[in-house]
Amino acid sequence: MRTNLREKPREDFQKYNAELQEKMKVDTLRQCRLFRGLSVDDIKGLSSHAAMVHYKKGASIFEEGNPADFFYVVQDGLVKVYKGTSTGKILTFTVAGRGDTLNATAVSGDNYYMSAQTLNEVTVLKIGRKSYQAFLTEHSSIAIELIAMLSSRLNRECDRVVRLIGEDVEQRLIISLFTLARKFGTTLSLTREELANCAGTTTETAIRVLSRLKKQGIIGCAAGRGGIIISDMAKLHDLVVEDEGWI
Amino acid sequence: MRTNLREKPREDFQKYNAELQEKMKVDTLRQCRLFRGLSVDDIKGLSSHAAMVHYKKGASIFEEGNPADFFYVVQDGLVKVYKGTSTGKILTFTVAGRGDTLNATAVSGDNYYMSAQTLNEVTVLKIGRKSYQAFLTEHSSIAIELIAMLSSRLNRECDRVVRLIGEDVEQRLIISLFTLARKFGTTLSLTREELANCAGTTTETAIRVLSRLKKQGIIGCAAGRGGIIISDMAKLHDLVVEDEGWI
DNA sequence: CGCCTGATTGATAAGTATCAAGGTCGGTGG
DNA sequence: CCACCGACCTTGATACTTATCAATCAGGCG
């Protein structure tokens, strides 16, 4: 029968495809800091609840204040996690990449505490709130990692506050650039506007600072049209004022 | 024998005194959010490791960067918990009162992450780092409370960041006043400088805003010399711009 | 080719910090 | 008891940082 001859390879292909996807999901979850220390089997258990979802550039994954029905992990692409201010500005708290969670530390509250929007083509893993919470309570060793994550994030936000009070815009932009470059490499695909949002300033001010840095040879000339290239990371690092003081 | 006749009451007195102090310590610890849900016996166990220490006004309890040898709970008085900026300014993250911990959320790191200084006569409970950590691991139910505390503090700091970007100084001062008054009542014994540090501004600017509020009848005229009296809490509340948006 | 987004530069204005100069009150020592 | 001193409060003038507004430019894409 013709149908049989046709169906057989298609089934194989589908099975292969499903296995591949499952492998990718597990791979991604294993890169989460939150799940380190867990066995592969544990992660496979969680992975079975995870759906792979694709977003195009500029799409909203979730918005501040909406019911937090899902827990997200970035599989591919860049996602900005931000909050809007009462005056319509935006502050980007983090740019999440592969293996980063979007809302792991949002433990309390039934609603998303921030918004998440894609900066390019993005694939995420999406896990139902219930499944995620059940997984957390089953694997109590995560609690320790969660506390560590929360604690370090809290410190980071406190530092951000101190910098907002103590440092001028130029310094904040430099720190944003440095932090982003350390995480994603020296070729950043961010618009000036996105960078400005990271530092809590305006596009124009960000551009003016970048121009100055370009004159100093720290930013490459090939910048522009949605990208920033850092050509002298060492010099950039020298410009960062450490507020740690004693080291 | 004379000695006997004398010693007896003194022993009684000392015993009574020790019991009283122990009771005070337990009472204080029971007011800690971190320890709610624990039995009185559990808390008594922790209390036995706690020493009551007195500080006079303006004293430093611990300083950012020093080895974090102790865990502190405020028994009486006000303590500001702050960080200095690289430019010499100060940002007060919280004013701690009775039952508040000074460094409970500083889980990671071996050094104090902030500084703590008394705002008036203060009594604290001081528990050795080891004893505190042992207690935490023994009573794993605290982990849940700790996560909740960390999470809510993280949210609060993120909000602070957003307000620093989005709101002007006047609004930040109003929010600081409102928050302080809700916690400590409408008679605040804070200098203008301390209030300014809470809002991340300068003394002069804080004074100018307070003058305006005084004209509007929100701040009492009896203010000045180390105190602020809020005479119209409702009107103050009306001035607070909620950035929650939907409620 | 024309539109649209993002980058860029300049001019201007608003918000705050900074600097300066008293003023007030409470405590302390002669 | 009084005078002084120091900590805190207050107000004004000025400067600086950065946002805002406006205009132009460059490149990608339908």
Side-chain angles (χ1 to χ4, degrees):
Chain A
M1 280 132 91
R2 296 176 66 188
T3 43
N4 247 348
L5 287 170
R6 275 216 200 118
E7 289 296 322
K8 198 62 192 293
R10 200 166 84 177
E11 275 172 16
D12 277 359
F13 176 72
Q14 285 187 341
K15 195 180 160 206
Y16 171 77
N17 215 1
E19 274 174 11
L20 184 67
Q21 179 163 327
E22 198 54 34
K23 214 181 186 82
M24 286 169 68
K25 280 158 54 180
V26 173
D27 268 3
T28 303
L29 290 176
R30 287 183 64 186
Q31 287 186 35
C32 287
R33 172 176 170 181
L34 187 58
F35 303 132
R36 76 180 172 198
L38 292 185
S39 73
V40 178
D41 282 339
D42 285 339
I43 289 183
K44 276 183 182 165
L46 180 62
S47 173
S48 67
H49 294 280
M52 243 169 84
V53 187
H54 192 78
Y55 292 90
K56 50 191 181 196
K57 179 178 174 177
S60 164
I61 299 179
F62 55 78
E63 269 178 81
E64 194 182 342
N66 290 349
D69 295 330
F70 296 98
F71 163 77
Y72 291 90
V73 180
V74 177
Q75 174 149 99
D76 207 40
L78 297 179
V79 179
K80 74 166 172 177
V81 183
Y82 66 96
K83 269 174 87 79
T85 75
S86 60
T87 48
K89 298 179 186 176
I90 280 180
L91 189 105
T92 300
F93 280 87
T94 184
V95 176
R98 176 173 180 76
D100 290 330
T101 55
L102 295 184
N103 55 342
T105 48
V107 184
S108 64
D110 292 335
N111 295 335
Y112 292 115
Y113 186 66
M114 297 194 178
S115 305
Q117 189 182 356
T118 60
L119 293 175
N120 46 29
E121 296 274 304
V122 166
T123 309
V124 299
L125 297 187
K126 177 176 177 172
I127 298 172
R129 183 193 179 82
K130 298 260 175 187
S131 308
Y132 173 61
Q133 287 182 337
F135 189 78
L136 285 192
T137 48
E138 270 170 39
H139 303 267
S140 57
S141 76
I142 294 183
I144 295 168
E145 195 62 45
L146 187 58
I147 287 175
M149 269 180 75
L150 278 164
S151 181
S152 88
R153 264 188 131 94
L154 178 59
N155 287 359
R156 214 175 316 153
E157 294 314 326
C158 290
D159 279 342
R160 197 196 300 270
V161 168
V162 167
R163 284 199 305 264
L164 281 170
I165 296 292
E167 258 116 67
D168 58 12
V169 174
E170 171 158 336
Q171 184 62 215
R172 273 158 31 211
L173 278 164
I174 288 173
I175 291 177
S176 297
L177 276 174
F178 184 72
T179 307
L180 287 165
R182 203 173 35 185
K183 180 169 181 182
F184 296 110
T186 53
T187 301
L188 300 169
S189 39
L190 288 177
T191 66
R192 318 286 147 139
E193 188 183 2
E194 296 301 345
L195 177 66
N197 289 342
C198 289
T201 184
T202 59
T203 310
E204 294 95 325
T205 304
I207 285 171
R208 286 182 230 274
V209 172
L210 284 180
S211 300
R212 256 174 276 161
L213 294 179
K214 201 187 280 183
K215 280 201 192 95
Q216 298 175 53
I218 294 172
I219 298 294
C221 289
R225 48 166 211 296
I228 300 167
I229 295 168
I230 293 160
S231 40
D232 195 337
M233 193 65 179
K235 216 183 272 184
L236 182 66
H237 186 208
D238 287 346
L239 290 181
V240 175
V241 174
E242 304 284 356
D243 57 340
E244 319 296 309
W246 50 84
I247 302 207
Chain B
M1 280 132 88
R2 294 177 67 189
T3 43
N4 246 347
L5 286 169
R6 275 217 198 115
E7 289 297 321
K8 199 62 191 293
R10 200 165 84 178
E11 275 171 19
D12 279 358
F13 177 73
Q14 284 187 341
K15 195 180 159 205
Y16 171 76
N17 215 1
E19 275 174 10
L20 184 68
Q21 180 164 327
E22 198 53 36
K23 216 182 185 82
M24 286 169 69
K25 281 158 54 180
V26 172
D27 268 3
T28 302
L29 290 177
R30 289 184 64 185
Q31 288 186 34
C32 286
R33 172 176 170 183
L34 187 58
F35 303 132
R36 76 180 170 196
L38 291 185
S39 73
V40 178
D41 281 339
D42 285 339
I43 289 183
K44 277 183 182 166
L46 181 62
S47 172
S48 67
H49 294 280
M52 244 169 84
V53 187
H54 191 80
Y55 291 90
K56 51 191 181 198
K57 178 177 175 178
S60 164
I61 299 179
F62 54 78
E63 268 176 82
E64 194 183 341
N66 290 348
D69 295 329
F70 297 98
F71 162 78
Y72 292 91
V73 180
V74 178
Q75 175 151 97
D76 206 42
L78 296 180
V79 179
K80 75 166 171 175
V81 183
Y82 65 97
K83 267 173 89 76
T85 76
S86 60
T87 48
K89 298 179 188 178
I90 280 180
L91 190 107
T92 300
F93 281 87
T94 184
V95 176
R98 177 171 181 77
D100 289 330
T101 55
L102 296 184
N103 55 342
T105 49
V107 183
S108 64
D110 292 335
N111 295 336
Y112 293 115
Y113 186 65
M114 298 195 178
S115 306
Q117 189 182 357
T118 60
L119 292 176
N120 47 29
E121 295 275 305
V122 166
T123 309
V124 299
L125 296 187
K126 177 177 178 173
I127 298 173
R129 183 192 178 84
K130 298 261 177 189
S131 308
Y132 173 61
Q133 287 182 336
F135 188 78
L136 285 193
T137 48
E138 271 170 40
H139 303 268
S140 57
S141 74
I142 294 183
I144 295 168
E145 195 63 46
L146 188 58
I147 288 175
M149 268 180 76
L150 278 163
S151 181
S152 88
R153 264 188 132 93
L154 179 59
N155 287 0
R156 212 176 317 154
E157 294 313 326
C158 290
D159 280 342
R160 198 197 299 272
V161 168
V162 167
R163 283 197 305 263
L164 281 170
I165 296 292
E167 257 117 67
D168 57 13
V169 174
E170 173 159 334
Q171 183 62 215
R172 273 158 33 212
L173 278 164
I174 287 172
I175 290 176
S176 298
L177 276 174
F178 185 71
T179 307
L180 286 165
R182 203 173 37 184
K183 180 170 179 182
F184 295 111
T186 53
T187 301
L188 300 169
S189 38
L190 288 178
T191 65
R192 319 287 148 138
E193 188 181 4
E194 295 303 343
L195 176 66
N197 289 343
C198 289
T201 183
T202 60
T203 310
E204 294 95 324
T205 304
I207 285 172
R208 286 182 230 274
V209 171
L210 284 180
S211 300
R212 256 174 277 161
L213 294 179
K214 201 187 281 186
K215 279 200 192 94
Q216 299 175 53
I218 293 171
I219 298 295
C221 289
R225 51 168 207 297
I228 301 168
I229 295 168
I230 293 160
S231 40
D232 195 336
M233 193 67 179
K235 215 183 273 183
L236 183 66
H237 186 208
D238 287 346
L239 291 181
V240 175
V241 174
E242 304 285 354
D243 55 342
E244 319 296 311
W246 49 84
I247 301 213

